[in-house]
C-alpha cells in the first residue's frame, strides 16, 4: 500500500512539474470554445506557420491557407497589410467550423514602416521614454497593417561581438537591458491589448541565447545557474513583469537541455516561479531541431518533450500538427496539458479583441493614415541622433555649416544599410537621404577638401541572425583608406555604420574623430548630419564594451577582481596579457559630447561616519554635482555603479545600478542624487537565496564605467 501511495504522489509531482501550469480562462467564450473543440481543432490552435509573403527562417511551407481552412493552423507569421490579412482572416472566420480568428505575427523589432536605429544603437541612447515611444509607434504602424503580435523585445544579454545578433539586443548590462525590455513591452502593449494600435509583445529568446560559445549563432550555451540568474535572466523577467504575454523559446541548449524542451525554463521559472499567464511559442522549426541537438529521437518525441515542458505553440516545425493528436490519444501528453496550452492562446486572442471583431486590424484607410507620418519620421531622426556615440574627437567635430568637406568611403552613399537586419516592412525607398546627400544639403562637398567625413562599416548583412564573424575588424581596405587619407595630410572624421562592437584599435590611432552611428534607420542620413554639424550634440553612451581586439573577449564592466588582479605594471604573476592592456578600447558607458562635464566627489550627506551605514530596509542618498564646463548645451548620462567588497560569493568590481540623463546649459550645474537600498546590493548568495549581506561597499558615479568618482558605505542587516 505504502509503495503505491508513494508512486502516486511521485506521479502527481511529475505531472505538476511537467505540462502547462493551469491558467484560468479570461473570457467565458474561451471555455465555451474549448468545450466545442475537437482534439484536432485544439491541436490546430497550437500551430503557427509562415506565409510566403516574406522569409525569416530556413524552410518555407506552401498550403498554409488549406491548413487554416482545415483548422490545422491558428496563427500566421510574416503576413501583413490590411488587405492580405483580411483575406486570410476571412478564410479562418468564415470557412472553418468554429471560426476562431487567426493571430498574425511579425518581427517588428526596431520599427515597422518607419525604421528606428537597430536595438543595440537605441540602447546607447539610454533614453528609456524614447525607446518606449519607438515601440509605441512601431505598434501603431504594425497594427494598422493587420498585425497583432510582434516577436520583440529581444532580451538577450550579450558580451559576444562575434555574434551577429548582438545587434538586436540592448548590450551587455542586465540593469539597462531590463529597463529597455520593460519599456518596449509597455510601448507595444500599451494599457489595453484590445485597442487597434497596440500589439502583443513577445519576450525572446528564452533564454540566454546571447551567450553562444565562440560567438557562433545557435551554438552551445553553458553557464552556472547563478550567473544565468544574475546576469542573463533579468531582462526577460522585466518584460514579463511589464506585462508581456508571449515568450519565444531560444534555439540554444542551456546546461545540456535545449530551451525548447526545458521544463526548468518554461514551467519551473516562467510559469510557476514568475506566474506567467501568456503562451510560449517556439522559434522557427525549433521543436524539430531537438532531433539534431540529440535530445529527441524523432519528431513525435520532440513534440512530446516540448508540450510537456510548457511550450504552447509550434512555429514552423509542424511537429504539433503531425503528432499531438496521437500523443494525447496515447497518453504521452495529457489532454489537460493541451487544453492549458490552447486556453493560454485563446485568452490572448480574446484580449486582443479578435473574438469581438476579427477584422478590427484590417482597415486600409487607417493603414495609410498611420504609417511613415511626418511625426514618426521626425521622431526617428531624433532617436537616431540620440543613439550615436562620439567615441573620439580631437576637435574636428562639430563641422561648420558651409565649410568645404569631402564625403568619402564605401558607406557614404548607402541607404539600404541604414535599415539594418529585421527591418520589418521598412523600405529603402522610404530613406530620404544617404549621409552624403544629407551633408550636401548643409555644406559644399568637394573631394579635394582637406577635411574628410569618411563613412566606413560593415554591410548590414554581416549582422543579425546566422551572421557571426571570427573577426570584428573593419575590412582591411577600409582601414587602409583611412590611413592613406591621413598620410595625405587630411583631417578625418570617421563615421561608422555597423551592428556590433568592432576592434577599432588601428582606426582610433589614425582618425581625428570617430562617431559610432550603428544602422540608424530611415532618417539616419539626416541624423548623422545633425550630429556632425552640432545641430544635435552627441549624448550616446556605449551599452556594450568595445575591446582592443578579439583576444580580450569576453570583456565587460561587471568583471570579477580575481585573486591576482593586474595592479603592478611590471608584475609577472598577475592576471594580465603579455601583448595587450586589460582595459578595453572604449568602456561600457563611454561617450563624448561637444561640451565637457565635471563631477564633484559623491557625498552621502547626513552621516557622521567615514563610511555611512545603510541599515536593514533603510535607504541612503548619494549626491553628486555635475557641471557643464563647456561652451554648448549638452546631455549627460550620469551613471551609478556599486561594488560589494566581500561576499559569500565573489562580487563584480562594479555593477550598473542607476543612471539619470540630464541636459545642462553652458556653465549650468545640477545636483543629481540616487537612493541606495538593500535591493540594489542584493544578489544570489552562496545558498542561492536572493538578498543583501552585511559589509562594506563602494559607490561609483561618473560619465562612463571607467571614468568615475567614488564614495564608501556599509550595510548592516
Ligand atoms: C527567427 C528568429 C526569431 C524570429 C523568428 C520569426 O529564426 O530566431 O528571432 O522572431 O525566426 O521570424
Amino acid at each position: 500500500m505504502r509503495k503505491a501511495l508513494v508512486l502516486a504522489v511521485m506521479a502527481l509531482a511529475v505531472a505538476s512539474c511537467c505540462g502547462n501550469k493551469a491558467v484560468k480562462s479570461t473570457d467565458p467564450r474561451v471555455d465555451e470554445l474549448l468545450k466545442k473543440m475537437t482534439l484536432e481543432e485544439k491541436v490546430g490552435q497550437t500551430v503557427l506557420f509562415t506565409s510566403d509573403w516574406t522569409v525569416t527562417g530556413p524552410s518555407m511551407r506552401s498550403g498554409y491557407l488549406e491548413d487554416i481552412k482545415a483548422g490545422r493552423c491558428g496563427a500566421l507569421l510574416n503576413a501583413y497589410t490590411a488587405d492580405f490579412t483580411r483575406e486570410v482572416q476571412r478564410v479562418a472566420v468564415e470557412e472553418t467550423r468554429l471560426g476562431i480568428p487567426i493571430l498574425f505575427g511579425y518581427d517588428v523589432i526596431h520599427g515597422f514602416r518607419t525604421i528606428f536605429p537597430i536595438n543595440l544603437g537605441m540602447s546607447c541612447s539610454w533614453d528609456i521614454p524614447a525607446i518606449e515611444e519607438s515601440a509605441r509607434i512601431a505598434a501603431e504602424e504594425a497594427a494598422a497593417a493587420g498585425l497583432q503580435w510582434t516577436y520583440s523585445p529581444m532580451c538577450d544579454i550579450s558580451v559576444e561581438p562575434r555574434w551577429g545578433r548582438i545587434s538586436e539586443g540592448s548590450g551587455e548590462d542586465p540593469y539597462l537591458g531590463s529597463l529597455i525590455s520593460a519599456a518596449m513591452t509597455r510601448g507595444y502593449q500599451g494599457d489595453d491589448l484590445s485597442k487597434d494600435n497596440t500589439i502583443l509583445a513577445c519576450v525572446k529568446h528564452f533564454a540566454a541565447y546571447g551567450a553562444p560559445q565562440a560567438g557562433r549563432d545557435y551554438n552551445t550555451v553553458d553557464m552556472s545557474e547563478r550567473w544565468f540568474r544574475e546576469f542573463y535572466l533579468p531582462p526577460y523577467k522585466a518584460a514579463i513583469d511589464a506585462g508581456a504575454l508571449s515568450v519565444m523559446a531560444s534555439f540554444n541548449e542551456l546546461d545540456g537541455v535545449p530551451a525548447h524542451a526545458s521544463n526548468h525554463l518554461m514551467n519551473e521559472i516562467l510559469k510557476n516561479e514568475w506566474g506567467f499567464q501568456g503562451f510560449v511559442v517556439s522559434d522557427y522549426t525549433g521543436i524539430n531541431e531537438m532531433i539534431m541537438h540529440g535530445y529527441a529521437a524523432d519528431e513525435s518525441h520532440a513534440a512530446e518533450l516540448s508540450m510537456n515542458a510548457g511550450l504552447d505553440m509550434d512555429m514552423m516545425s509542424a511537429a504539433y500538427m503531425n503528432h499531438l493528436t496521437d500523443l494525447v490519444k496515447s497518453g504521452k501528453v495529457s489532454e489537460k496539458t493541451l487544453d492549458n496550452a490552447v486556453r493560454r492562446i485563446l485568452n490572448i486572442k480574446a484580449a486582443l479583441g479578435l473574438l469581438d471583431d476579427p477584422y478590427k486590424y484590417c482597415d486600409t484607410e487607417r493603414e495609410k493614415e498611420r504609417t511613415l507620418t511626418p511625426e514618426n519620421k521626425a521622431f526617428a531622426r531624433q532617436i537616431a541622433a540620440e543613439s550615436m556615440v562620439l567615441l573620439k574627437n580631437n576637435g574636428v567635430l562639430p563641422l561648420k555649416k558651409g565649410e568645404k568637406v569631402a564625403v568619402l568611403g564605401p558607406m557614404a552613399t548607402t541607404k539600404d544599410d541604414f535599415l539594418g537586419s529585421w527591418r520589418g516592412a521598412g523600405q529603402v525607398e522610404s530613406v530620404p537621404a544617404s549621409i552624403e546627400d544629407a551633408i550636401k544639403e548643409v555644406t559644399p562637398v568637394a573631394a579635394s577638401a582637406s577635411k574628410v567625413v569618411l563613412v566606413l562599416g560593415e554591410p548590414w548583412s554581416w549582422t543579425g541572425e546566422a551572421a557571426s564573424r571570427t573577426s570584428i575588424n573593419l575590412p582591411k581596405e577600409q582601414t587602409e583608406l583611412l590611413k592613406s587619407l591621413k598620410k595625405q595630410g587630411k583631417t578625418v572624421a570617421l563615421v561608422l555604420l555597423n551592428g556590433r562592437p568592432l576592434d577599432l584599435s588601428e582606426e582610433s590611432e589614425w582618425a581625428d574623430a570617430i562617431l559610432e552611428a550603428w544602422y540608424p534607420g530611415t532618417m539616419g542620413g539626416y541624423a548623422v548630419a545633425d550630429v556632425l554639424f552640432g545641430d544635435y550634440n552627441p549624448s550616446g553612451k556605449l551599452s556594450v564594451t568595445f575591446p582592443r581586439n578579439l583576444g580580450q573577449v569576453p570583456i565587460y564592466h561587471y568583471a570579477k577582481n580575481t585573486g591576482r588582479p593586474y595592479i603592478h605594471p611590471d608584475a609577472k604573476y598577475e592576471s594580465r596579457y603579455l601583448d595587450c592592456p586589460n582595459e578595453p578600447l572604449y568602456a561600457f558607458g563611454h561617450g563624448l559630447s561637444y561640451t565637457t562635464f565635471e563631477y564633484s566627489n559623491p557625498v552621502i550627506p547626513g552621516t557622521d561616519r567615514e563610511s555611512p551605514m545603510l541599515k536593514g530596509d533603510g535607504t541612503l542618498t548619494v549626491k553628486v554635482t555635475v557641471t557643464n564646463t563647456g561652451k554648448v548645451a549638452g546631455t549627460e548620462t550620469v551613471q551609478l555603479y556599486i561594488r560589494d567588497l566581500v561576499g559569500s560569493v565573489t562580487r563584480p568590481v562594479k555593477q550598473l545600478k542607476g543612471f539619470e540623463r540630464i541636459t545642462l546649459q553652458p556653465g549650468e550645474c545640477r545636483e543629481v542624487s540616487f537612493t541606495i537600498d538593500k535591493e540594489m546590493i542584493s544578489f544570489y548568495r552562496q545558498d542561492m537565496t536572493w538578498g543583501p549581506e552585511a559589509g562594506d561597499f563602494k559607490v561609483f558615479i561618473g560619465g562612463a564605467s571607467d571614468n568615475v568618482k567614488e564614495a564608501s558605505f556599509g550595510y548592516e542587516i
Side-chain angles (χ1 to χ4, degrees), residues 151-215:
Y151 304 123
S152 177
M154 193 264 218
C155 305
D156 306 330
I157 291 294
S158 188
V159 296
E160 251 306 341
R162 292 171 286 189
W163 187 50
R165 302 198 78 169
I166 196 168
S167 59
E168 301 172 41
S170 299
E172 69 188 46
D173 187 77
Y175 176 83
L176 178 61
S178 297
L179 291 175
I180 291 172
S181 301
M184 293 188 77
T185 299
R186 292 191 301 267
Y188 292 132
Q189 297 192 165
D191 52 12
D192 178 353
L193 265 187
S194 69
K195 285 184 181 161
D196 65 19
N197 62 355
T198 60
I199 56 176
L200 173 67
C202 184
V203 178
K204 74 181 187 181
H205 304 79
F206 197 65
Y209 180 42
Q213 289 180 359

Side-chain angles (χ1 to χ4, degrees), residues 395-459:
V396 64
L397 295 179
L399 303 173
K400 292 177 187 58
K401 293 180 182 177
E403 75 170 308
K404 201 186 283 188
V405 294
V407 183
L408 303 172
M411 312 282 277
T413 57
T414 185
K415 293 182 179 179
D416 184 44
D417 294 295
F418 286 173
L419 303 184
S421 61
W422 299 109
R423 54 183 63 188
Q427 294 163 338
V428 184
E429 296 70 31
S430 308
V431 177
S434 67
I435 291 172
E436 182 184 70
D437 297 336
I439 290 176
K440 278 182 178 169
E441 289 184 25
V442 180
T443 198
V445 169
S448 61
S450 62
K451 197 171 276 185
V452 178
V453 172
L454 179 63
V455 189
L456 305 176
E458 308 171 287

Side-chain angles (χ1 to χ4, degrees), residues 385-386 388-391 393 397-398 515 530-532 534-541 591-595 597 633-636:
E386 290 189 17
M388 296 178 193
V389 185
L390 186 60
L391 298 176
N393 184 23
L397 295 179
L515 178 69
D530 292 343
V531 172
L532 290 177
D535 288 336
Y536 183 80
N537 182 358
S539 58
K541 299 282 187 178
L592 302 177
S593 167
Y594 294 146
T595 188
F597 297 99
T635 296
E636 170 74 333

Side-chain angles (χ1 to χ4, degrees), residues 48 50 55-58 77-78 106-107 109 150-152 154 156 165 168 202 204-205 209 217-218 248-249 251 282-285 315 422 465:
L48 164 65
T50 183
V55 182
T56 60
L77 77 145
N78 298 331
Y106 191 47
D107 292 279
I109 80 166
T150 178
Y151 304 123
S152 177
M154 193 264 218
D156 306 330
R165 302 198 78 169
E168 301 172 41
C202 184
K204 74 181 187 181
H205 304 79
Y209 180 42
D217 204 356
Y218 318 125
M248 182 184 292
F251 287 123
S282 81
D283 202 339
Y284 206 107
T285 65
M315 179 194 288
W422 299 109
E465 185 171 358

